[in-house]
Amino acid sequence: MMSDRAGKIMLVHGQCGNGSEESRLVRVLEKRLSRENMVVTTATDAQESMILFDPDIECALIDWNLENDPDHQAARLVLANIRRSKSNIPVFLFVTDNSAEDIRVDVLARVDGFIWILEDNMDAIVKDIILAVRRSNTPLLPPLFNADDVWKASCLTSRDGWNYFDFFGQRLVVFGQSDKSHIA
């Protein structure tokens, strides 16, 4: 399981509920993501996705064949709306063999991956989505900068760092935090 905190995913797929194999697999994916502590909001067209859009979403899954549009304008509209308000979240496109060849470079630059729902292993799809959400929620700074003792790794690796530590000792100020116990 990912964590105790629920992640939010926007799933926009036109085949939801139509009884096809693709529809069944999309519902299975939705249930599997829910089991991984993800809150999945489902929309079946571009207009519904705009109405149901949650500013706190952490991932978007978009059907490239949304509204059976051969020019993919509905999917492009959903993608543009999501990227306009959430530029850094992972976005995956549901594609098929026939639709994948219609994806142009401008779309490729704005998506993070593809879901071949009829071909891919469901475990692999879920894992890719969960990992993408985790990566997007990981702080930019490495764990070193979250530690209270930053100087241990940075200053104490050189002779000059040791000289600095020997002079200031434990009163060393770390990123604006100081030990005020030495001030009388």
Side-chain angles (χ1 to χ4, degrees):
M1 235 172 159
M2 186 176 143
S3 73
D4 291 338
R5 187 185 66 75
K8 294 184 177 183
I9 295 179
M10 171 67 84
L11 189 152
V12 185
H13 201 289
Q15 299 296 317
C16 291
N18 76 354
S20 68
E21 178 64 12
E22 188 173 357
S23 171
R24 185 188 71 76
L25 290 170
V26 169
R27 285 192 315 273
V28 168
L29 175 61
E30 182 180 0
K31 288 177 185 172
R32 294 281 303 277
L33 289 170
S34 294
R35 275 192 251 146
E36 293 293 331
N37 207 20
M38 294 286 167
V39 176
V40 181
T41 302
T42 305
T44 57
D45 60 33
Q47 184 177 4
E48 187 178 17
S49 75
M50 288 181 228
I51 293 169
L52 297 175
F53 181 78
D54 181 349
D56 294 329
I57 65 167
E58 298 172 274
C59 183
L61 314 174
I62 305 169
D63 179 8
W64 182 237
N65 293 320
L66 192 61
E67 299 178 11
N68 294 319
D69 177 11
D71 295 328
H72 309 287
Q73 292 305 314
R76 288 175 186 276
L77 176 64
V78 173
L79 179 61
N81 285 331
I82 288 172
R83 284 297 182 215
R84 190 174 306 117
S85 59
K86 301 290 287 189
S87 62
N88 60 345
I89 65 167
V91 174
F92 292 86
L93 287 181
F94 287 97
V95 293
T96 62
D97 287 337
N98 297 337
S99 68
E101 57 197 39
D102 296 336
I103 301 173
R104 295 191 329 225
V105 175
D106 64 318
V107 173
L108 286 174
R110 297 185 308 180
V111 298
D112 298 283
F114 300 97
I115 298 172
W116 303 78
I117 196 77
L118 296 172
E119 290 91 9
D120 283 347
N121 177 298
M122 190 60 68
D123 291 333
I125 294 171
V126 170
K127 181 180 177 184
D128 287 346
I129 294 169
I130 298 297
L131 288 175
V133 170
R134 279 184 182 168
R135 273 193 304 272
S136 71
N137 288 329
T138 302
L140 294 177
L141 296 174
L144 163 73
F145 291 97
N146 294 329
D148 290 332
D149 299 328
V150 173
W151 52 269
K152 284 183 182 175
S154 58
C155 293
L156 302 182
T157 56
S158 69
R159 193 168 71 163
D160 290 335
W162 274 107
N163 290 335
Y164 187 83
F165 175 73
D166 288 340
F167 179 78
F168 287 105
Q170 293 297 323
R171 294 181 304 239
L172 183 67
V173 175
V174 179
F175 287 97
Q177 299 174 340
S178 65
D179 178 11
K180 296 187 170 121
S181 62
H182 66 281
I183 301 173

